[in-house]
Amino acid sequence: MEYSEKVMEHFVHPHNVGKIDDADGVGEVGNAKCGDIMKMYLKIKDGIITDVKFNTYGCASAIATSSMATDLIMGQPVSEALKLTNKAVVEALDGLPAVKIHCSVLAEQAIKAAVRDYYDRNGIVYDEAQFHFNEAHEHGVEE
Amino acid sequence: MKVYADNAATTKISQTALDAMMPCFKEFYGNPSSLHSVGQDAFHAVRDARVQIANILNCSPDEIYFTSGGSESDNWAIKSTAELMAKKGKKHIISTKFEHHAVLHTLKYLERRGFEVTLLDVYENGIIRLDDLKNAIREDTALVTVMFANNEIGSVQPIREIGAICRERGVLFHTDAVQAVGHLPIDVEKDNIDMLSMSGHKFHGPKGVGALYCKKSIRLPNLIEGGAQERNRRAGTENVPAIVGMAAALKEANDNLEVNMKKLSEIRDHVIEGLLKIPYSRVNGDREQRLPGNVSMCFEGVEGESLLLYLDIVGIQASSGSACTSGSLDPSHVLLAIGLPHEVAHGSLRLSFCEENTIEEADYIIEQVPPIIERLRNMSPLWERLQKERGNA
Ligand SMILES: Cc1ncc(COP(=O)(O)O)c(C=O)c1O
Ligand code: FES
């Protein structure tokens, strides 16, 4: 197994690590039993993501995908962030080892969970299907 | 600073072993089965290596069979005895929950072929209880196989007592001593061992070579059909340089056994004491009955792969039993066998030392690990949750 240079770069110097105390949406996915938990904090203004931070417990790939995913949605409209797929994150990282793909699924789910939290808090109606999590995350997503 | 602390995974070959091997490539390159002088030189080199290893283990040279390593020796010993004893209607094998996969997967293979396997509990300290063993032995027990020392948590089993129980009950006893040979005193006679697996690369010998000790009274079935090598039991031209290198490395390890054990225990205990100062950390495996060079610890709220990769960046090579490092759903079966919850086992770190490591290196580790743990905890939602549960946040 080998990580790309991009993955190592984001693992060693991850972007957007931290918390946002007055976040507009927070999403947490994964579970301790499987060894991976990802938590995303979003600051949203006029439908645009103005700030994003993450906390992750997991492997190098989990940390790198969190970092890359936050980069990709920073400054984007919420509607665009919802379209972010784990595949796009993996590509941006120049690939992940096959056994590590599930860690990237977690990043996609964490963002979706945070957006859903934002919608719920603000009484915004949404289509449940948008949040239908990709079951490819082999660790399962029960909280 | 560069600190290689993954000697339980494999070791650097020693200069002594390398020096012993070179002539086998350049001078004694003949086939040991050839009758001419170049072949005979190779024959003598293999013979001398066998005698050397036999002397150290205290057995006869014709009880040593050279193999490709620990996995092969384990497979051969267990599958062969199973086959042998099945003919006598004995199809029950006793082992432990935390054996190396070379043993556990071999046992699974035998289960699929109608054998019954009992895996003994290893309790919190990673050591079996002799009463459990006594109670597990049945009329139809063919074999007891218990590892000498565990590769992950370093706990050492009461091998001599286990052997004595097996002798008394007329059951064959095999031990996977891959982590123990060259690191602990072993005497197959006094320790009541019928079969023992060893591997060259765990004590500064070359990789891909090992040996199986098998007591003469056991009619070991053939592993590979073909030529007459290894007393007709394992055909194929001998890996002369590797065999010679393994013997030289073992002799060196054995000559320095006491000094090395003392030095390594000091490094080990120093590192353990230093790292235990990290809050919510723990040591895995027995503190006394332990391999001299093994440190195995868990740090709550962090994940092992991230930990070991950050350590690698500061020049420290270690290993972990977290699920993420194994590429599977579960953390190491060894850590689960000693009763650790999954989330604790994910935060495991193994440092394994050899005599080339120094106290200065130990200090470097003690200095480097805590800030990495802190960094990982600071970004860990699990740590945040644990702190909240404990009322620390
Ligand atoms: C306890 C134990 N048994 C068996 C093996 C396998 O040895 P080898 O790599 O020589 O096949 C190892 C090494 O990883 C080990 O630690
Ligand atoms: S978080 Fe476990 S493999 Fe990535």
Side-chain angles (χ1 to χ4, degrees):
Chain A
M1 196 192 81
E2 191 185 23
Y3 283 130
S4 71
E5 259 174 55
K6 255 291 178 11
V7 172
M8 285 310 285
E9 205 179 289
H10 277 264
F11 166 63
V12 179
H13 304 290
H15 307 169
N16 311 310
V17 177
K19 294 177 211 165
I20 300 176
D21 287 333
D22 59 344
D24 298 309
V26 179
E28 183 177 313
V29 294
N31 69 58
K33 193 165 183 246
C34 302
D36 45 20
I37 304 177
M38 223 175 259
K39 199 167 179 179
M40 290 276 174
Y41 300 80
L42 299 178
K43 196 80 198 139
I44 296 164
K45 195 158 187 273
D46 303 329
I48 305 282
I49 296 171
T50 55
D51 198 9
V52 49
K53 291 261 187 288
F54 80 88
N55 261 209
T56 289
Y57 157 75
C59 68
S61 141
I63 292 173
T65 50
S66 309
S67 168
M68 181 54 90
T70 53
D71 272 1
L72 291 174
I73 62 164
M74 181 79 88
Q76 295 291 317
V78 172
S79 54
E80 281 302 306
L82 277 180
K83 289 187 203 144
L84 182 77
T85 60
N86 77 299
K87 201 160 161 274
V89 180
V90 173
E91 271 165 23
L93 286 167
D94 296 336
L96 278 178
V99 292
K100 296 291 185 180
I101 295 294
H102 68 93
C103 317
S104 67
V105 177
L106 222 53
E108 176 192 324
Q109 291 175 346
I111 290 170
K112 290 192 169 138
V115 170
R116 194 214 294 248
D117 179 47
Y118 163 71
Y119 284 167
D120 286 343
R121 288 191 201 188
N122 292 280
I124 299 170
V125 276
Y126 54 86
D127 178 6
E128 270 294 331
Q130 271 181 301
F131 298 98
H132 188 74
F133 287 153
N134 181 349
E135 294 300 328
H137 179 236
E138 61 182 39
H139 284 186
V141 290
E142 76 277 0
E143 274 290 304
Chain B
M1 197 179 247
K2 251 193 127 38
V3 184
Y4 182 77
D6 201 14
N7 289 280
T10 196
T11 57
K12 181 172 90 176
I13 195 157
S14 75
Q15 193 58 48
T16 312
L18 206 53
D19 290 345
M21 290 169 77
M22 287 316 277
C24 307
F25 292 110
K26 297 183 146 184
E27 295 161 45
F28 327 137
Y29 51 79
N31 189 319
S33 301
S34 300
L35 288 179
H36 52 65
S37 53
V38 184
Q40 286 301 293
D41 284 344
F43 173 82
H44 291 141
V46 171
R47 185 196 58 191
D48 293 348
R50 202 186 303 278
V51 170
Q52 228 167 30
I53 293 172
N55 286 344
I56 290 167
L57 296 178
N58 191 25
C59 63
S60 149
D62 30 289
E63 292 175 317
I64 298 289
Y65 298 89
F66 291 123
T67 65
S68 67
S71 303
E72 183 184 322
S73 298
D74 284 340
N75 270 262
W76 193 5
I78 297 169
K79 285 182 185 162
S80 301
T81 341
E83 184 190 320
L84 213 63
M85 301 307 282
K87 288 181 196 147
K88 299 182 184 169
K90 297 191 174 191
K91 297 189 81 172
H92 175 234
I93 300 174
I94 299 169
S95 188
T96 76
K97 287 187 178 157
F98 77 161
E99 295 295 310
H100 191 269
H101 283 138
V103 170
L104 282 182
H105 291 175
T106 302
L107 294 175
K108 274 263 167 292
Y109 164 93
L110 288 171
E111 266 181 335
R112 290 195 296 272
R113 278 157 187 78
F115 284 82
E116 211 185 311
V117 175
T118 302
L119 297 180
L120 300 175
D121 205 340
V122 290
Y123 298 91
E124 207 220 311
N125 63 347
I127 295 180
I128 67 157
R129 306 237 167 115
L130 295 174
D131 280 336
D132 290 353
L133 171 64
K134 285 181 195 158
N135 293 334
I137 296 177
R138 318 190 306 211
E139 278 294 301
D140 64 340
T141 303
L143 173 76
V144 170
T145 171
V146 174
M147 71 199 309
F148 208 116
N150 185 272
N151 46 306
E152 284 186 45
I153 61 169
S155 57
V156 178
Q157 303 299 325
I159 290 297
R160 190 170 295 182
E161 289 78 7
I162 295 171
I165 292 168
C166 292
R167 286 273 150 93
E168 192 189 308
R169 306 284 292 271
V171 181
L172 289 176
F173 175 43
H174 164 257
T175 182
D176 173 342
V178 168
Q179 292 288 338
V181 172
H183 302 283
L184 295 171
I186 299 177
D187 179 323
V188 293
E189 181 81 39
K190 281 206 192 105
D191 293 339
N192 307 309
I193 299 167
D194 297 318
M195 279 175 281
L196 173 147
S197 303
M198 59 182 266
S199 177
H201 71 103
K202 304 290 187 181
F203 47 83
H204 304 288
K207 298 168 187 32
V209 67
L212 173 64
Y213 150 77
C214 181
K215 217 173 146 68
K216 242 183 245 163
S217 53
I218 303 168
R219 266 211 59 249
L220 188 68
N222 295 5
L223 182 66
I224 299 175
E225 305 297 336
Q229 292 88 356
E230 300 306 301
R231 290 175 301 296
N232 287 314
R233 301 275 171 38
R234 183 187 186 273
T237 302
E238 297 86 342
N239 187 347
V240 183
I243 289 169
V244 168
M246 171 166 70
L250 182 58
K251 178 159 188 324
E252 190 177 32
N254 196 60
D255 286 347
N256 300 299
L257 194 63
E258 266 176 45
V259 183
N260 288 347
M261 283 176 70
K262 185 164 174 292
K263 180 180 174 188
L264 289 185
S265 324
E266 277 165 18
I267 293 178
R268 171 194 71 191
D269 295 341
H270 185 59
V271 170
I272 289 179
E273 268 158 45
L275 296 185
L276 269 180
K277 296 204 179 102
I278 297 171
Y280 300 102
S281 57
R282 52 159 287 138
V283 182
N284 306 313
D286 200 90
R287 285 295 301 272
E288 302 297 323
Q289 303 306 315
R290 187 179 193 94
L291 281 172
N294 174 287
V295 173
S296 168
M297 298 181 66
C298 287
F299 305 98
E300 285 185 37
V302 306
E303 187 284 312
E305 185 196 288
S306 301
L307 175 57
L308 80 87
L309 286 176
Y310 279 142
L311 280 172
D312 191 29
I313 289 162
V314 297
I316 299 166
Q317 284 82 47
S319 85
S320 169
S322 91
C324 306
T325 45
S326 67
S328 81
L329 243 67
D330 292 314
S332 111
H333 67 286
V334 174
L335 300 173
L336 296 181
I338 58 168
L340 294 186
H342 278 65
E343 55 271 29
V344 176
H346 291 309
S348 74
L349 175 71
R350 179 188 71 182
L351 298 154
S352 45
F353 299 103
C354 76
E355 55 288 352
E356 276 191 19
N357 291 114
T358 61
I359 281 285
E360 288 70 36
E361 291 179 349
D363 282 332
Y364 181 69
I365 290 171
I366 294 168
E367 176 193 310
Q368 293 295 323
V369 175
I372 293 175
I373 303 265
E374 191 176 312
R375 180 179 178 195
L376 284 168
R377 280 178 174 173
N378 277 339
M379 65 154 112
S380 163
L382 175 61
W383 179 247
E384 185 188 0
R385 193 186 300 164
L386 291 171
Q387 289 294 86
K388 273 199 190 119
E389 280 166 17
R390 288 173 176 135
N392 291 347

